[in-house]
Amino acid sequence: MDDSKHQLATVNRTFDILGLLRKNSSMSVSEIAKTLDTHRSTIHGYLRTLEATGFVINEDGRYRLGLRFLEFGGRIKYRNRLFQVSQSELEHLADDTGYTASLTIEENNELAIVHLAEGERSLQLGMYTGMRVPLHSHASGKSILAYSSDEVIDRFFETHDLEAVTKFTKTDPDDLRAEFETIRETGYAYDWDEQVVGMGIISAPITVEGTVYGAIGLVCPTNQLTDADQRSDLAERVKQSTDIVSVNYQYGR
């Protein structure tokens, strides 16, 4: 069945507009209309409606996203049970290592950041809650895929073009499958320069009774992971955190 036949064009157009405003700090009606190749009057109607809901703000004829989105995003985050049972441990991990600790989940075949806890040596790379990145380009995404079923992994490779986020991003399915095997053997994933050059990530999956629910990762400079001893120490600390969160998720309230 072709799902596109059952989609509402007005809803798709609304999210086209919101997507543009997400990428730009603000835009005028003319700029949006030109980008979407649509009449100004049509775009103006959409914007007036979005403005009335509070999701879009009009400032002297230029439109931007409203803080109403934070209300929705914050509510979703704080209702998430995995966040609830991991928040304090992420803070401990960030304090112990000095780096940014992250909680991530897979959603719609992308890696979504649920929460970030910053340490005193955190890299300032513009990461934020809700940010989405390709699963294959990030150690946390790889750890989640590695602990997924063979069917899930096969379907992921069959349905995705593996883009190179940087020139160091692994995009060969055979190389990634081999990496997944190593992740299952060691219990953790790591990479550097694949998402951002100069940034390394070490991550372990959160699993309960064989099901993977997400991953905890540490974001640090690349040179902290190229040294095998340092990498091993960080890996053990991350795995300790995932063990705690996994138990809390399974038995906590």
Side-chain angles (χ1 to χ4, degrees), residues 227-251:
D227 180 276
D229 291 335
Q230 292 185 32
R231 184 170 68 242
S232 178
D233 290 343
L234 291 175
E236 289 306 311
R237 183 62 186 85
V238 172
K239 289 166 66 177
Q240 181 184 55
S241 289
T242 58
D243 288 343
I244 291 171
V245 171
S246 295
V247 171
N248 287 343
Y249 187 86
Q250 185 172 11
Y251 299 108

Side-chain angles (χ1 to χ4, degrees), residues 13 16-17 20 30-39 43:
R13 179 59 76 192
D16 287 341
I17 294 170
L20 283 176
S30 296
E31 289 169 340
I32 297 173
K34 181 177 180 181
T35 302
L36 297 179
D37 193 22
T38 305
H39 293 297
I43 296 299

Side-chain angles (χ1 to χ4, degrees), residues 15-253:
F15 280 96
D16 287 341
I17 294 170
L18 293 175
L20 283 176
L21 295 178
R22 179 179 66 84
K23 294 177 181 178
N24 299 274
S25 57
S26 68
M27 297 182 75
S28 67
V29 174
S30 296
E31 289 169 340
I32 297 173
K34 181 177 180 181
T35 302
L36 297 179
D37 193 22
T38 305
H39 293 297
R40 290 182 74 260
S41 59
T42 300
I43 296 299
H44 190 251
Y46 278 95
L47 290 170
R48 287 290 300 274
T49 303
L50 288 167
E51 182 184 0
T53 66
F55 285 99
V56 166
I57 304 299
N58 178 2
E59 295 178 331
D60 298 323
R62 296 190 67 82
Y63 293 83
R64 64 169 175 83
L65 296 181
L67 295 180
R68 188 76 186 276
F69 281 102
L70 287 180
E71 177 188 351
F72 277 63
R75 185 63 61 88
I76 292 169
K77 174 179 175 177
Y78 281 91
R79 281 177 175 172
N80 184 284
R81 186 158 178 266
L82 193 60
F83 164 74
Q84 294 172 1
V85 301
S86 64
Q87 183 180 13
S88 62
E89 182 55 34
L90 287 174
E91 300 293 340
H92 291 321
L93 181 59
D95 288 343
D96 289 348
T97 63
Y99 300 123
T100 298
S102 65
L103 173 67
T104 53
I105 64 170
E106 179 275 329
E107 186 178 71
N108 291 332
N109 289 312
E110 291 181 303
L111 187 71
I113 297 176
V114 177
H115 185 62
L116 294 168
E118 291 193 351
E120 61 182 5
R121 296 183 290 170
S122 289
L123 298 174
Q124 301 303 311
L125 298 173
M127 295 185 299
Y128 53 88
T129 299
M131 185 177 182
R132 307 171 80 88
V133 299
L135 284 168
H136 69 280
S137 68
H138 194 290
S140 291
K142 294 178 185 181
S143 65
I144 292 172
L145 280 171
Y147 278 77
S148 299
S149 67
D150 291 340
E151 291 77 14
V152 168
I153 294 172
D154 289 342
R155 186 165 61 249
F156 177 79
F157 286 126
E158 289 170 359
T159 58
H160 286 76
D161 294 325
L162 305 182
E163 64 173 301
V165 181
T166 75
K167 66 179 181 179
F168 301 104
T169 306
K170 294 184 180 69
T171 59
D172 183 274
D174 292 335
D175 290 342
L176 287 166
R177 288 181 187 275
E179 188 172 356
F180 294 165
E181 292 182 9
T182 301
I183 293 168
R184 288 190 288 268
E185 291 171 1
T186 62
Y188 66 92
Y190 66 90
D191 59 51
W192 53 77
D193 300 340
E194 292 196 42
Q195 187 66 41
V196 175
V197 175
M199 180 183 81
I201 305 162
I202 192 160
S203 175
I206 301 167
T207 59
V208 176
E209 296 182 342
T211 299
V212 59
Y213 287 90
I216 288 176
L218 271 180
V219 181
C220 58
T222 289
N223 61 14
Q224 296 299 301
L225 296 186
T226 53
D227 180 276
D229 291 335
Q230 292 185 32
R231 184 170 68 242
S232 178
D233 290 343
L234 291 175
E236 289 306 311
R237 183 62 186 85
V238 172
K239 289 166 66 177
Q240 181 184 55
S241 289
T242 58
D243 288 343
I244 291 171
V245 171
S246 295
V247 171
N248 287 343
Y249 187 86
Q250 185 172 11
Y251 299 108
R253 295 182 178 180

